[in-house]
């Protein structure tokens, strides 16, 4: 295959769409969420319609349009975790942090505490079903979570009982 | 050019014969079964079909049974290209059963749509067993079936991309980014025109066009220099004129279509009379 033929293949894949998710996820990584003005700026820089970017950002549960807290807690609500009582873990978490977790059924759900310390969201499966129910805090996985052992996990991230 | 594939010169394909409901029809290779059926007046229900856009197969209502040599399968007529000897049946008991269930789902998705209610009634579906989508502040008035035609017309035909799908699954909706008035909207009304369930609300109010369904986006209208009527979205009128007839004089460019027509006719008559006078 000569250089020309290779260029032809590359050209077919040289569409802005192919790199959108990568760019968006790096923005999310650096900012913690996708700020409104950044999305507008990105649309101008890439020449991609804002409606297209907004569709992507609202489609994937990975992206957040709302600012998130210092620590990100994700509670797994997959089948195994659900069976092992993830619902109870989530509502206990809400109680400890003083936030409403009632509407946690949508993947786009994320609630942040008033002091901006914690954001709680859910995921459908971590692939760690053997340790169900699982939750992750800032990417660290915690297995066999129970309403009882939550305070110990939260304490690692600076949470105190009286704060809630 | 603003227009996409619709404006391209048509190159006729190879002639083929296709059998629909036992009758033979002439068609061109590359045409879809749905296009042939529409031309021949054969009723196949459909929502997401639009001649000026590529086949999409979103609404699934145009399901037919089709095949060759007795081997048959269920396919959407809008995505099925005709081929020599293709046999199509538009309403077998299986097809009818599937359409009835689809329509029942659509009754739940767009409970306020008269178009859907009428379509469903034709298949004997008067009510739905599924949970109805009942939102009080839905900008599309409970009539949207999420076929995507408005989004595609806005993006692919107009090149505006003012609206898009938001969220996913049962929370999917169509609107402007951040649910804010869109600066990309031309106010052309292509979305309104292609919407199969008449869900999109657009209203002209004085010198502005208000896209009520699209987060109250407001687009300034151009006023006719002669009769004072507001006749088209300002930016769109300018763009269209410069694309179609860049040489058009300023004097004519500021007129609404009917005044422009009158003006041109008057000039033509004057010129002829003048010409006749000169010769006399």
């Amino acid at each position: 295959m000569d250089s020309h033929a290779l260029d032809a293949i590359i050209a077919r894949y040289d569409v802005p769409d192919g790199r959108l998710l990568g760019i968006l996820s790096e923005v999310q990584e650096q900012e913690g969420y996708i700020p409104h003005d950044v999305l507008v700026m990105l649309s101008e820089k890439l020449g991609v319609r804002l409606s297209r970017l907004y569709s992507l950002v609202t489609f994937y549960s990975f992206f957040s349009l709302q600012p998130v807290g210092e620590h990100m807690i994700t509670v797994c609500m997959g089948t195994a975790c659900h069976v092992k009582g993830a619902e109870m873990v989530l509502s206990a978490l809400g109680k400890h942090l003083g936030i409403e977790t009632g509407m946690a059924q949508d993947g786009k759900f994320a609630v942040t505490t008033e002091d901006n310390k914690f954001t709680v969201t859910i995921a459908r499966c971590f692939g760690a079903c053997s340790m169900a129910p699982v939750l992750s805090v800032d990417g660290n996985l915690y297995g066999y979570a129970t309403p009882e052992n939550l305070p110990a996990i939260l304490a690692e991230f600076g949470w105190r009982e009286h704060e809630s | 050019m603003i227009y996409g594939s619709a404006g391209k010169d048509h190159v006729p394909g190879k002639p083929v014969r296709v059998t629909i409901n036992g009758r033979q029809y002439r068609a061109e290779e590359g045409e879809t079964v749905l296009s042939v059926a529409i031309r021949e007046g054969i009723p196949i229900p459909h929502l997401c079909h639009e001649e000026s856009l590529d086949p999409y197969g979103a609404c699934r209502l145009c399901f037919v049974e089709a095949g060759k040599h007795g081997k048959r399968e269920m396919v959407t007529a809008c995505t099925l290209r005709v081929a020599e000897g293709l046999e199509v049946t538009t309403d077998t008991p299986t097809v009818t059963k599937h359409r009835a269930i689809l329509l029942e789902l659509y009754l739940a998705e767009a409970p306020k749509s008269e178009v859907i209610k009428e379509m469903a009634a034709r298949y004997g579906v008067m009510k739905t067993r599924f949970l109805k989508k009942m939102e009080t502040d839905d900008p599309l008035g409970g009539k949207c079936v999420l076929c995507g035609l408005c989004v595609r017309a806005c993006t692919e035909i107009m090149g505006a991309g003012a609206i898009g799908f938001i969220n996913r699954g049962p929370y999917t909706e169509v609107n402007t980014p951040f649910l804010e008035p869109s600066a990309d909207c031309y106010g052309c009304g292509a979305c309104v025109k292609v919407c199969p369930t008449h869900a999109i609300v657009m209203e002209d109010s004085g010198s502005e066009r208000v896209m009520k369904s699209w987060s109250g986006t407001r687009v300034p209208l151009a006023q006719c220099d002669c009769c004072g009527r507001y006749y088209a979205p300002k930016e769109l009128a300018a763009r269209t004129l410069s694309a179609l007839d860049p040489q058009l004089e300023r004097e004519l460019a500021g007129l609404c279509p009917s005044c422009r027509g009158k003006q041109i006719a008057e000039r033509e008559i004057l010129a002829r009379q003048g010409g006749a006078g000169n010769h006399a």
Side-chain angles (χ1 to χ4, degrees), chain A residues 3-22:
Chain A
S3 152
H4 192 71
L6 189 60
D7 282 343
I9 295 175
I10 294 169
R12 268 208 298 284
Y13 291 91
D14 194 21
V15 285
D17 280 28
R19 51 188 184 163
L20 286 184
L21 288 178

Side-chain angles (χ1 to χ4, degrees), chain B:
Chain B
M1 279 295 279
I2 298 173
Y3 297 98
S5 54
K8 286 192 191 131
D9 290 333
H10 178 69
V11 184
K14 221 171 74 190
V16 289
R17 275 163 305 175
V18 55
T19 309
I20 305 178
N21 297 338
R23 262 195 69 179
Q24 267 203 359
Y25 297 94
R26 282 167 199 279
E28 271 171 31
E29 202 168 50
E31 265 190 303
T32 66
V33 169
L34 186 60
S35 298
V36 177
I38 290 171
R39 188 175 62 228
E40 301 291 347
I42 305 159
I44 299 177
H46 53 84
L47 288 169
C48 74
H49 170 78
E50 165 60 42
E51 201 63 58
S52 54
L53 288 165
D54 288 337
Y56 201 51
C59 79
R60 317 311 288 171
L61 278 176
C62 68
F63 259 137
V64 292
E65 269 188 45
K68 271 182 179 179
H69 321 300
K71 197 180 155 222
R72 321 213 105 203
E73 55 178 5
M74 292 254 302
V75 262
T76 44
C78 70
T79 54
L80 179 64
R81 306 283 180 182
V82 291
E84 184 62 42
L86 183 78
E87 286 176 29
V88 180
T89 316
T90 60
D91 46 8
T92 65
T94 322
V95 165
T96 313
K97 197 181 105 191
H98 276 80
R99 270 188 208 145
I101 290 178
L102 279 171
L103 286 162
E104 203 180 327
L105 284 161
Y106 277 128
L107 277 181
E109 180 75 39
K112 296 279 172 64
S113 168
E114 290 304 321
V115 176
I116 298 294
K117 277 186 209 166
E118 273 170 40
M119 261 188 174
R122 260 178 265 144
Y123 284 81
V125 180
M126 308 309 284
K127 55 177 200 278
T128 179
R129 289 166 289 175
F130 305 105
L131 188 66
K132 282 191 193 173
K133 221 180 188 177
M134 284 296 203
E135 279 154 38
T136 42
D137 53 355
D138 180 5
L140 293 165
K143 293 179 180 175
C144 176
V145 292
L146 297 169
C147 70
L149 270 184
C150 53
V151 176
R152 297 173 66 218
C154 187
T155 310
E156 292 171 34
I157 300 181
M158 296 309 299
I163 48 171
F165 285 109
I166 300 172
N167 299 324
R168 64 171 173 194
Y171 308 101
T172 311
E173 56 180 311
V174 176
N175 215 323
T176 53
F178 298 99
L179 308 185
E180 286 173 357
S182 168
D184 295 326
C185 177
Y186 296 137
C188 67
C191 51
V192 179
K193 186 104 167 76
V194 295
C195 180
T197 58
H198 316 304
I200 304 160
V201 187
M202 174 176 93
E203 253 176 43
D204 286 359
S205 133
S207 63
E208 279 183 323
R209 174 164 287 179
V210 188
M211 309 303 290
K212 292 200 157 178
S213 297
W214 307 142
S215 315
T217 296
R218 286 168 179 271
V219 180
L221 293 172
Q223 189 174 24
C224 176
D225 293 341
C226 178
C227 68
R229 192 164 66 95
Y230 290 100
Y231 64 96
K234 215 176 211 164
E235 198 199 322
L236 186 71
R239 280 177 62 115
T240 313
L241 273 182
S242 69
L244 294 179
D245 194 352
Q247 261 88 56
L248 194 70
E249 303 159 43
R250 254 228 153 122
E251 206 181 310
L252 286 176
L255 301 180
C256 76
S258 68
C259 287
R260 198 180 306 149
K262 257 187 239 163
Q263 187 87 55
I264 293 170
E266 265 170 34
R267 284 189 192 181
E268 195 69 22
I269 292 166
L270 276 174
R272 281 196 192 176
Q273 282 174 345
N278 284 344
H279 286 292

Side-chain angles (χ1 to χ4, degrees), chain A residues 109-124:
Chain A
F109 158 88
V111 194
T112 304
T113 54
E114 254 175 55
D115 59 5
N116 267 327
K117 279 258 191 281
F118 295 96
T119 294
V120 177
T121 183
I122 61 154
R124 282 304 162 194

